[in-house]
Amino acid sequence: MNRFRLPQRLALVILGLSPITGAAEARDPSPAPVRPLAWVAGDLPPFAWVGPKGPQGYAHELAIRMAEKLGRPADVSYYPWARAVKMTREGQHYGIFPLARTPDRETQFRWLVPLMTVRYSLVGLSGRPAQTLEQLRTQRVGVLRGSPIINNLRAEGFTEVIEARDYKDLLRLLHMDAISAIYAGAPMLNAAIDEYGYQRQRFQVHASLGEATLYMGASPALSEAEAQRWIQAYQQLQAEGSVAKLQQQYLRP
């Protein structure tokens, strides 16, 4: 005869216990909350840099305004560029800018918003004989550490490639004659020349080599829903005219 009466069974169910074993019933855990995107950047004017007035730049301002649209913390954390790239590529919830979209990176990041297409050039000091691409292949050429454009130099057979922490360091190396040329995108290098107190007439372009479109990118593991929120925030700013105003402010020739 079953002595396990109905009232006792109901009491155990209410308590979440098994009427057979008295153990707690297994329940599906609630899904873990999705971490919102956190922006990281390096000193890469005119898109992002920390100057005497604090953090600024075209992409920096975009990220802040997009965050405000979404009601998110308006923060950007600055790191050496190679570290910022690694954090984003290997992390779960990071956004980064300005990130060159190249074939080898296509599946390593989630691509959110295009910023600008740039051509890359080899730039040296003026007042010296111009160098051809062939002549520069055997000379010391500086490039930003963590940048994929180093692959352009390797593909062209450059043998002395020097990687620097940032554009300030590249300009210092050039003026010390530690390198013969800087390989960089014109908007970034020109903005760095202005920001760090150099005169543009002190530099000359030796040759051009390759181009890429710069993006606001994100970790590949970032959810599609979170990515779309940021894209939609950008589209709202674009429709309001805010994007065009920021371009006029920061992306001057």
Side-chain angles (χ1 to χ4, degrees):
M1 179 178 177
N2 185 359
R3 297 183 179 179
F4 202 98
R5 297 173 182 174
L6 181 59
Q8 291 174 308
R9 294 173 63 89
L10 289 175
L12 289 175
V13 169
I14 292 172
L15 291 172
L17 302 177
S18 166
I20 297 175
T21 64
E25 291 182 342
R27 291 195 178 104
D28 292 332
S30 300
V34 177
R35 295 183 68 181
L37 181 149
W39 291 108
V40 297
D43 278 327
L44 295 169
F47 299 97
W49 77 99
V50 180
K53 299 179 181 179
Q56 58 188 303
Y58 171 55
H60 176 94
E61 293 290 343
L62 270 182
I64 297 301
R65 298 191 187 193
M66 289 158 68
E68 290 171 348
K69 284 283 185 187
L70 295 173
R72 301 288 182 78
D75 295 325
V76 179
S77 299
Y78 280 77
Y79 298 93
W81 183 242
R83 181 181 173 189
V85 171
K86 179 179 174 64
M87 288 171 60
T88 306
R89 184 179 62 245
E90 299 179 359
Q92 302 290 317
H93 66 291
Y94 292 107
I96 187 172
F97 49 78
L99 191 70
R101 188 169 186 171
T102 57
D104 58 304
R105 280 179 166 175
E106 189 63 34
T107 61
Q108 295 180 0
F109 299 91
R110 184 182 287 274
W111 305 96
L112 302 179
V113 175
L115 296 171
M116 186 182 192
T117 298
V118 300
R119 285 194 59 78
Y120 296 100
S121 300
L122 290 141
V123 177
L125 294 175
S126 60
R128 304 180 183 185
Q131 303 286 308
T132 66
L133 196 63
E134 182 66 32
Q135 290 172 321
L136 287 168
R137 282 193 180 100
T138 57
Q139 298 185 40
R140 294 165 68 87
V141 171
V143 68
L144 184 68
R145 185 179 297 120
S147 174
I149 63 174
I150 191 172
N151 294 327
N152 297 345
L153 297 175
R154 289 170 176 161
E156 284 291 327
F158 280 72
T159 58
E160 294 287 337
V161 178
I162 308 301
E163 297 182 62
R165 173 190 171 110
D166 51 32
Y167 283 102
K168 185 176 184 180
D169 196 26
L170 284 170
L171 289 165
R172 179 184 63 82
L173 291 172
L174 184 65
H175 281 82
M176 290 172 52
D177 287 325
I179 56 176
S180 298
I182 296 171
Y183 182 51
M188 291 86 83
L189 186 56
N190 285 339
I193 288 170
D194 296 340
E195 175 67 19
Y196 300 127
Y198 297 96
Q199 300 297 317
R200 292 196 189 186
Q201 58 265 31
R202 295 177 62 181
F203 302 86
Q204 63 175 326
V205 175
H206 293 304
S208 295
L209 179 62
E211 68 175 28
T213 299
L214 306 182
Y215 272 75
M216 300 178 85
S219 300
L222 188 74
S223 72
E224 178 64 25
E226 179 70 357
Q228 286 302 316
R229 292 185 188 103
W230 289 92
I231 293 171
Q232 289 168 8
Y234 170 79
Q235 292 171 342
Q236 291 175 20
L237 292 172
Q238 197 173 37
E240 296 168 2
S242 298
V243 173
K245 290 179 181 177
L246 288 173
Q247 289 173 339
Q248 292 173 2
Q249 178 180 351
Y250 285 104
L251 304 184
R252 298 186 299 271

